[in-house]
Amino acid sequence: MDGTAPARRLDISHRRILALALPMTLSHVTTPLLGLVDATVIGRLGEAHLLGAVALGAVIFDFVFWSFGSLRMATAGLTAQATGAGNRHEVDLTLARAFLVAGATGLLLILLQWPIAAVAFSMAGASQAVTEALSTYFYIRIWAAPFTLANYVILGSTLGRGRTDLGLLLQVAINVANIVFTMTLVLGFGLGIAGAAVGTALAEVLGAGLGILVLRRLGSNPLAVTWHEVLNRAAMLQTLAMNRDIMIRNVALILAFSIFSALGARSGDVTLAANAVLYNMFLIGGYFLDGFATAAETLCGQSIGARDEAGFRRAIRLSLGWSLGFGLGVSGLFLAGGGFFIDFVSTNPDVRSYARDYLVFAALTPFFGAAAFAFDGIYTGATWTRSMRDLMVIAFVIYGAILLAAGTLGNTALWIALLAFLSARGLGQFVLYPRLARKTFARFHQP
């Protein structure tokens, strides 16, 4: 943003935080449904290898596509700042640049589908029957890559405007379409795993089309901007740099969680199963914390666009307060009722007993991670993506160092390292943000 617009005050309140956070929380909860629907429908066919192929396919695409979740986050941050400044033309330019990056990236994934599949299938190490079915699923669904990434852009654009209700609507529409298409093609037309892949791909295409219609109703028309404006060197480099930084951050996060699972698996089946049960506590807490992160992303970005420093600092206080308060509350609930959760998820007595031994670690993850979630939203809205990337890398190094130093502690070391990883991110972002905020708002006072 150029900062030429006059400063204006925004509505930063507890009510606005909740109005933004709650729809996005529900949206995050629906995200895993794309893979779950495929697994449920295919599971009704009674073929174990087909179910295994769909499960592996969901993991592969979650990894590939989530690595490019930067498209959503970068678009949301830039859109929030343009919205706060009241610059609707810049909103459209941001959207057009993000669509360009999403389209190019999606086409690149299609072109690289064979090496991607070779690496993914090799790492999966599945049986021949599962691999053959997985190939069918993968080589069909990969063609939806440009539309999947476009949906990230559309979601980011709606969130940056503060329309988390529309973000929820779009996610629900994609999931409902996926259910209808997949059930029709698999159970109605008997297309098996190919039908599941086509159904999911069609749902992504339909979601992109619906998303564009929603954006048009909001007044956006990315086709109205000129190529000269879209390809402006400074703006395009900023877009690419933000996506690069967030992508590195996402990959580091994925690696940290993958290492956690892999090292747990080496400790035996009971440890692997118990950690999987307990890890779901972190995921459940994370869905809600993500909602507050989205609220912070929107309000902080819009405050910077509006040059409202007081509003920006209030948005930080409120979003951080809600996130920490919720994280503490959820940790308390898990400590009190975690045993019931373990018994509900697993019936194996050995897994139940082992999971209870580590319940306190898992129960603390929402509280230890609350600041990191909130500051991820704050840093994204403020477009401090380079600092967010660097702090994530530092936290990852700390994570690895603890694993190496405390390796003799076995599974205890894993959980200690995870808690340290979560808290190191939040602490580092807390320490750095005042200097970044001063630098950001100082440019508005320059002649």
Side-chain angles (χ1 to χ4, degrees):
M1 307 306 301
D2 59 15
T4 57
R8 58 196 183 95
R9 291 298 178 93
L10 299 180
D11 171 28
I12 310 293
S13 62
H14 291 286
R15 182 176 181 179
R16 183 114 190 266
I17 289 278
L18 292 175
L20 290 168
L22 294 181
M24 208 58 218
T25 296
L26 295 175
S27 175
H28 286 310
V29 171
T30 69
T31 299
L33 290 181
L34 278 176
L36 180 61
V37 168
D38 287 349
T40 302
V41 175
I42 289 296
R44 296 184 64 84
L45 299 180
E47 298 286 345
H49 71 285
L50 295 181
L51 183 57
V54 167
L56 283 175
V59 170
I60 291 170
F61 282 109
D62 283 348
F63 180 88
V64 171
F65 291 145
W66 197 61
S67 297
F68 295 100
S70 54
L71 284 164
R72 184 204 71 75
M73 298 172 71
T75 304
L78 292 170
T79 300
Q81 293 192 16
T83 300
N87 191 339
R88 300 187 65 172
H89 187 65
E90 185 62 31
V91 169
D92 285 350
L93 284 173
T94 297
L95 185 60
R97 292 186 191 109
F99 272 141
L100 183 61
V101 174
T105 304
L107 291 175
L108 184 62
L109 290 176
I110 291 174
L111 291 175
L112 296 177
Q113 60 182 286
W114 294 281
I116 292 173
V119 172
F121 295 176
S122 175
M123 292 179 64
S127 67
Q128 182 177 353
V130 170
T131 301
E132 289 178 356
L134 175 59
S135 297
T136 299
Y137 184 86
F138 178 88
Y139 287 119
I140 293 174
R141 188 175 167 187
I142 191 65
W143 286 90
F147 298 97
T148 301
L149 299 183
N151 282 325
Y152 288 175
V153 171
I154 292 166
L155 181 59
S157 188
T158 58
L159 299 185
R161 301 161 200 255
R163 296 302 305 269
T164 54
D165 56 332
L166 295 179
L168 171 61
L169 173 66
L170 291 172
Q171 292 301 109
V172 170
I174 291 173
N175 288 318
V176 170
N178 186 32
I179 292 171
V180 173
F181 289 145
T182 301
M183 291 187 66
T184 300
L185 295 172
V186 174
L187 302 179
F189 290 90
L191 296 181
I193 197 167
V198 172
T200 300
L202 288 176
E204 295 283 11
V205 174
L206 180 67
L210 178 61
I212 290 172
L213 290 177
V214 168
L215 293 177
R216 291 289 291 122
R217 291 295 300 270
L218 290 175
S220 276
N221 183 13
L223 296 179
V225 299
T226 66
W227 277 105
H228 177 72
E229 292 176 297
V230 172
L231 299 177
N232 174 273
R233 179 179 173 80
M236 200 67 198
L237 286 177
Q238 181 189 24
T239 298
L240 294 174
M242 288 183 64
N243 278 278
R244 176 203 64 204
D245 294 339
I246 298 173
M247 184 176 181
I248 292 172
R249 172 258 186 199
N250 288 351
V251 170
L253 197 61
I254 292 170
L255 284 175
F257 295 149
S258 299
I259 290 171
F260 180 88
S261 298
L263 292 180
R266 291 184 181 182
S267 299
D269 292 347
V270 171
T271 300
L272 175 63
N275 282 353
V277 171
L278 295 172
Y279 189 71
N280 277 290
M281 292 185 177
F282 172 61
L283 292 179
I284 291 170
Y287 288 139
F288 290 92
L289 293 174
D290 261 340
F292 294 116
T294 299
E297 184 178 283
T298 300
L299 295 179
C300 288
Q302 290 187 2
S303 296
I304 288 177
R307 301 169 61 190
D308 181 3
E309 185 172 2
F312 177 77
R313 297 189 183 281
R314 178 168 171 77
I316 291 177
R317 290 195 302 271
L318 293 185
S319 58
L320 189 59
W322 273 103
S323 190
L324 287 170
F326 185 86
L328 180 62
V330 172
S331 288
L333 287 176
F334 284 158
L335 284 171
F340 296 102
F341 178 82
I342 292 169
D343 292 344
F344 176 78
V345 176
S346 176
T347 59
N348 185 293
D350 292 333
V351 172
R352 285 178 169 180
S353 176
Y354 194 85
R356 277 180 166 79
D357 291 339
Y358 291 90
L359 172 60
V360 64
F361 293 104
L364 289 174
T365 54
F367 179 66
F368 274 66
F373 276 88
F375 274 115
D376 277 349
I378 292 164
Y379 275 55
T380 300
T383 63
W384 299 335
T385 55
R386 182 176 179 179
S387 296
M388 184 169 66
R389 175 202 68 190
D390 293 344
L391 291 169
M392 173 64 81
V393 172
I394 292 171
F396 183 80
V397 171
I398 293 173
Y399 174 72
I402 292 175
L403 288 177
L404 290 174
T408 56
L409 296 178
N411 199 46
T412 301
L414 276 180
W415 283 101
I416 291 174
L418 180 61
L419 292 176
F421 174 66
L422 294 172
S423 57
R425 288 172 54 209
L427 180 61
Q429 290 168 318
F430 174 78
V431 170
L432 188 59
Y433 96 84
R435 182 166 69 85
L436 293 173
R438 286 194 298 270
K439 183 178 178 181
T440 294
F441 284 95
R443 74 176 191 263
F444 296 132
H445 304 299
Q446 295 174 354

